[in-house]
Amino acid sequence: MAFFRGSALSLLQHSRMLASVKQSQAFSGNTRDFGNKIYRVPAATRLRERVATHPMFSASSSSESARKGSPPRQQHSPASWVERWLPTAARPYAMLARLDRPDAIWLYAWPCFWSIAIAAKKGELPDMKMLALFGLGSVVLRGVVCTVNDLLDRDIDKKVERTKSRPLASGALTPAQGFNFLVFQVLLWLGFLLQLNNRSLIVGTSWLVLFFSYPLMKRLTNWPQAFLGFSLGYGVFLGSAAVKESLDYSVLLPMNFAVICWAVLYDTIYAHQDRKDDIKAGVRSTAIMFGDNTKYWLSGFSSACISSLALTGYNAHLAWPYYPFLAAAAAQLAWQVSTVDLSDKSDCNRKFVSNKWFGAFVFGGILCGILTS
């Protein structure tokens, strides 16, 4: 009798053990072991953990890692066309020429386009072939300027958060590779100039000297943005010289001054992205010099730019459609100055990029003013 009682007890204990194992398996992945006890994790807690570790929410994971002292996960911006389409070996060169950020090319092209359009005969379209040629030339010239800038500033770029990942600053390219790429781009620029007349060849070659000097200005003066504007404004003389032999300075000089004022405005906004880093690195800029009064200065340069463009239209005898377009361009500048958050790097960059539309308004006004004259 005792034998049967002991067997029954052993069987009961075995059944309870199996039930415990099945319960543990049922809760597998949803439990936590604290000592010898098993606790079920609530569904809401499991959901929060899945969200926290999901790749889509890596930013929150990175901030949590930073609070705990562990290195944050690396964040990647959306791939540009350079990263998607070009061979790996060509990507650093394309990025050195800023081909992955093409918006700023318009800032080189618009002054040339304005002067080409205003040099056209009244009632006729500007030379479309010349516009296309200068469009390609602007791509090359912008690459030359960026390469020169990065070669001279590679040590400074290492100290600035926004620029430390550039090919020369990061070591993706050596200075020798950068210099060889610069020579290649200069030869392309000279090939572009050879498509123009002799006057344009002289003007275009001297234009390079200005751009080669520009990166040095941030070490010598508080007004490197004005020197950039003077360099970009030189394009109005090249564009006009390519269309006709004589230069009408009553039209081109106020247009040149307008470009200078415009460049000071948008490049000061751009420089506010790096203002704190530039102060530490000992780099000069109008963003540092203007300080808290930046918007007052930008309002003054905006007014000077529009006034000079109005004088340009008057001296060129442009018809009335030019002026509504100029009013739209003035509104675009006013919007930039009044709404830009100079402490927000992303907003500064958005306002900087928006200047391609200012150039488009002015070009549209010149085009309509010529066709209806």
Side-chain angles (χ1 to χ4, degrees):
M1 191 70 179
F3 171 79
F4 288 106
R5 187 181 300 112
S7 298
L9 183 59
S10 298
L11 183 61
L12 179 61
Q13 290 175 344
H14 183 65
S15 300
R16 289 177 176 175
M17 185 179 299
L18 288 175
S20 176
V21 170
K22 290 181 179 180
Q23 184 179 23
S24 298
Q25 291 175 343
F27 293 152
S28 177
N30 301 330
T31 61
R32 288 186 182 147
D33 186 5
F34 295 93
N36 294 324
K37 295 182 180 181
I38 296 178
Y39 295 88
R40 182 168 183 143
V41 180
T45 302
R46 296 198 305 274
L47 178 61
R48 286 195 298 270
E49 291 174 347
R50 290 179 182 177
V51 168
T53 57
H54 196 281
M56 289 179 61
F57 303 94
S58 58
S60 59
S61 301
S62 299
S63 60
E64 182 67 24
S65 299
R67 287 195 295 271
K68 292 180 180 179
S70 59
R73 298 179 182 178
Q74 186 175 1
Q75 301 297 310
H76 295 283
S77 58
S80 67
W81 73 271
V82 168
E83 296 171 299
R84 291 196 304 267
W85 299 108
L86 290 186
T88 303
R91 291 173 191 172
Y93 295 98
M95 291 181 177
L96 181 57
R98 309 287 197 277
L99 296 180
D100 57 324
R101 299 180 180 181
D103 291 299
I105 294 173
W106 289 107
L107 305 180
Y108 290 78
W110 282 130
C112 302
F113 288 176
W114 295 350
S115 61
I116 291 172
I118 212 166
K121 294 181 179 180
K122 297 294 189 290
E124 296 183 6
L125 286 170
D127 188 334
M128 304 307 292
K129 179 181 177 181
M130 195 64 68
L131 290 173
L133 188 60
F134 268 81
L136 293 175
S138 298
V139 176
V140 174
L141 181 62
R142 196 253 186 146
V144 170
V145 175
C146 292
T147 303
V148 171
N149 182 79
D150 286 10
L151 279 169
L152 295 176
D153 287 354
R154 60 186 184 276
D155 292 331
I156 294 176
D157 287 344
K158 294 176 183 178
K159 303 175 184 179
V160 178
E161 184 64 29
R162 185 180 57 84
T163 60
K164 66 182 182 181
S165 61
R166 288 177 175 174
L168 290 171
S170 65
L173 291 176
T174 65
Q177 289 173 318
F179 179 78
N180 291 335
F181 184 56
L182 173 62
V183 172
F184 170 72
Q185 293 177 97
V186 169
L187 291 176
L188 286 180
W189 175 252
L190 294 178
F192 157 74
L193 293 178
L194 289 174
Q195 309 303 311
L196 309 177
N197 55 37
N198 291 334
R199 177 187 287 268
S200 301
L201 181 61
I202 297 172
V203 174
T205 303
S206 60
W207 198 12
L208 276 185
V209 177
L210 293 176
F211 279 121
F212 274 54
S213 305
Y214 162 64
L216 301 174
M217 292 301 110
K218 64 185 72 174
R219 298 168 173 82
L220 302 175
T221 177
N222 291 325
W223 292 88
Q225 282 69 28
F227 190 85
L228 174 65
F230 179 74
S231 302
L232 290 170
Y234 210 68
V236 304
F237 301 111
L238 179 60
S240 183
V243 176
K244 56 184 183 180
E245 289 294 331
S246 60
L247 300 179
D248 188 349
Y249 291 103
S250 67
V251 173
L252 297 179
L253 285 178
M255 181 182 286
N256 174 266
F257 185 70
V259 174
I260 294 173
C261 295
W262 180 37
V264 171
L265 185 150
Y266 65 64
D267 205 51
T268 299
I269 292 175
Y270 185 81
H272 266 275
Q273 296 178 91
D274 306 323
R275 187 172 182 271
K276 293 181 180 179
D277 290 329
D278 285 347
I279 292 174
K280 294 178 182 178
V283 175
R284 303 182 186 183
S285 74
T286 50
I288 296 173
M289 185 178 65
F290 294 164
D292 295 335
N293 295 319
T294 292
K295 288 200 173 185
Y296 295 106
W297 280 94
L298 296 186
S299 297
F301 280 106
S302 175
S303 299
C305 174
I306 298 301
S307 300
S308 296
L309 288 174
L311 180 60
T312 298
Y314 177 80
N315 289 345
H317 307 290
L318 296 180
W320 67 268
Y322 170 73
Y323 297 98
F325 277 91
L326 186 60
Q332 205 278 338
L333 290 186
W335 167 77
Q336 284 188 64
V337 174
S338 62
T339 63
V340 64
D341 183 353
L342 296 173
S343 63
D344 185 341
K345 294 183 179 180
S346 60
D347 189 50
C348 288
N349 187 65
R350 282 193 296 269
K351 296 303 190 296
F352 170 77
V353 170
S354 75
N355 280 278
K356 61 186 177 183
W357 300 114
F358 172 83
F361 284 132
V362 176
F363 180 76
I366 294 173
L367 189 62
C368 292
I370 287 289
L371 290 176
T372 56
S373 294

